[in-house]
Amino acid sequence: MSGTGSSIAPKRYRGRTAVFALCGLALLLVSLSVAISVGSVRIPQSTVWGVFLNRISPGMVDPSWSQGRAAIVWEIRFPRALLAMMVGAGLAMVGASLQAVTRNPLADPHLLGISSGGAFGAILALLHTGLFIGLLTVPLLAFLGALGATAIVLGVSRFADATNADRLVLAGVAVSFIIMAAANVLIFLGDPRATHTVVFWMLGGLGLAQWSQLIYPLAVLSVCAVWLMARAGDLNAMTVGDETASTLGIPVARFRLTTFVVGALITGVMVAFSGIIGFVGLMVPHVVRMVVGGDYRRVLPGSALVGAVFLLWADIAARTVMAPEDMPIGIVTGMVGGIFFVWLLGRKRAL
């Protein structure tokens, strides 16, 4: 597969990396500012950063805004924007790592059924088990659901001898449909008065973001991202083939399984707080590889950066297209991702 490439990036990509990183960080800062500013109540950029500076160091800026606007910026939009960045970065890194260990350019936590498993776990917690261990219940069951979906996909692919990359995606899509059917059964059997809450997980959204809960996705993403970055060289080797990776001393089967588990952990926790948001993990790594090449030492941080920016703008679109109503962000990413998926299939055919 031409997109993943070898572990040694051509020199032409090395020169782009610094420019890409600087431009990406600047765009991320601008995107964060715009995401906090726009909405049903438009807030000036000066107010956004004034509120931020005053929260960091009280009295740094003389307040010229109302308490209501300060609350909108700090209590509602700032945690929402930060959650969008974490979810986008996490899903993009998962997609990139899955594409490496499966050598499949179409691998994505959504298409492989991992997101559906996470949603199943979240719905189970919300409608049937209750929060038996507090706020950790939904992330925990979402992770277990994502992990279970991963195990089922791997089992089905082995049972059907779906070692081919395209057939692995088909196995994931089939499992995703089955899991979502099971999730619909849970909704049908649940309390009708509470089923409206699961729409959030079915369509995706960031409206429930709270400062007190951001620590969970941040902790999981930080630990897992460090692990993935530390194994970037192994991911490079996996893109070449199992035999080559084995000759380099990589325990291929164990490393692939561990990567799937790490991907399930990230996806499950992100789904628990944002619902099902598809195609981020499919699109972003391909875009990044076009700019910085196939070396995963660049692809992983680049995917995290672009994924964060992309989901910020997807959320901006979701809040402005049908303002003052919030469109589910999963609709935006699904629309963009579907178009990208068709383009990618056409590109593969042309190569």
Side-chain angles (χ1 to χ4, degrees):
M1 144 183 154
S2 60
T4 306
S6 65
S7 60
I8 302 177
K11 290 183 179 180
R12 66 190 179 95
Y13 289 122
R14 297 177 186 176
R16 297 179 184 177
T17 303
V19 176
F20 173 79
L22 291 174
C23 292
L25 290 173
L27 181 58
L28 180 64
L29 188 62
V30 171
S31 303
L32 176 64
S33 181
V34 173
I36 299 172
S37 175
V38 302
S40 56
V41 177
R42 187 171 292 274
I43 297 176
Q45 299 286 326
S46 57
T47 300
V48 170
W49 293 108
V51 171
F52 173 73
L53 292 174
N54 263 1
R55 285 287 178 168
I56 294 178
S57 178
M60 180 180 293
V61 179
D62 185 27
S64 59
W65 51 82
S66 66
Q67 290 296 321
R69 291 202 167 192
I72 291 174
V73 169
W74 189 253
E75 301 297 338
I76 298 176
R77 293 186 184 171
F78 215 104
R80 177 172 181 150
L82 293 179
L83 180 61
M85 291 167 56
M86 287 187 279
V87 172
L91 294 179
M93 293 186 77
V94 172
S97 59
L98 291 179
Q99 288 166 16
V101 296
T102 62
R103 296 191 303 281
N104 186 345
L106 304 180
D108 166 79
H110 182 64
L111 290 179
L112 291 181
I114 302 175
S115 295
S116 299
F120 177 89
I123 292 170
L124 180 65
L126 290 169
L127 295 182
H128 295 280
T129 68
L131 304 181
F132 55 89
I133 55 172
L135 293 176
L136 286 175
T137 306
V138 177
L140 175 62
L141 291 189
F143 163 62
L144 294 177
L147 189 62
T150 301
I152 294 172
V153 171
L154 294 176
V156 169
S157 64
R158 183 169 298 180
F159 171 77
D161 195 25
T163 55
N164 178 278
D166 295 331
R167 294 188 68 188
L168 179 62
V169 172
L170 291 177
V173 171
V175 170
S176 179
F177 275 112
I178 294 171
I179 293 175
M180 289 312 300
N184 289 331
V185 172
L186 292 181
I187 295 172
F188 179 74
L189 296 176
D191 185 352
R193 294 170 297 179
T195 54
H196 69 280
T197 60
V198 304
V199 173
F200 170 80
W201 274 267
M202 303 294 283
L203 300 179
L206 302 167
L208 300 183
Q210 300 177 24
W211 281 111
S212 61
Q213 298 179 359
L214 291 184
I215 186 62
Y216 302 117
L218 177 61
V220 170
L221 178 60
S222 299
V223 173
C224 293
V226 168
W227 186 87
L228 288 172
M229 285 299 303
R231 305 305 295 269
D234 294 345
L235 290 171
N236 283 331
M238 291 292 290
T239 63
V240 181
D242 288 1
E243 292 183 2
T244 301
S246 296
T247 59
L248 294 175
I250 300 172
V252 172
R254 187 174 66 187
F255 178 65
R256 180 179 288 116
L257 178 60
T258 305
T259 303
F260 267 101
V261 172
V262 170
L265 178 57
I266 296 176
T267 304
V269 172
M270 297 307 165
V271 166
F273 291 97
S274 68
I276 299 178
I277 298 178
F279 293 106
V280 176
L282 173 67
M283 293 184 293
V284 172
H286 286 280
V287 174
V288 171
R289 281 192 286 262
M290 291 177 188
V291 180
V292 302
D295 189 339
Y296 269 75
R297 291 171 296 182
R298 298 177 175 86
V299 170
L300 286 173
S303 295
L305 181 59
V306 175
V309 171
F310 171 73
L311 208 60
L312 276 174
W313 283 101
D315 187 45
I316 291 170
R319 288 188 285 126
T320 55
V321 169
M322 298 180 64
E325 297 293 330
D326 279 9
M327 178 190 297
I329 194 171
I331 295 176
V332 178
T333 61
M335 188 175 300
V336 176
I339 296 172
F340 184 88
F341 190 79
V342 172
W343 173 82
L344 186 62
L345 290 175
R347 184 171 179 264
K348 281 189 63 183
R349 183 179 180 182
L351 291 176

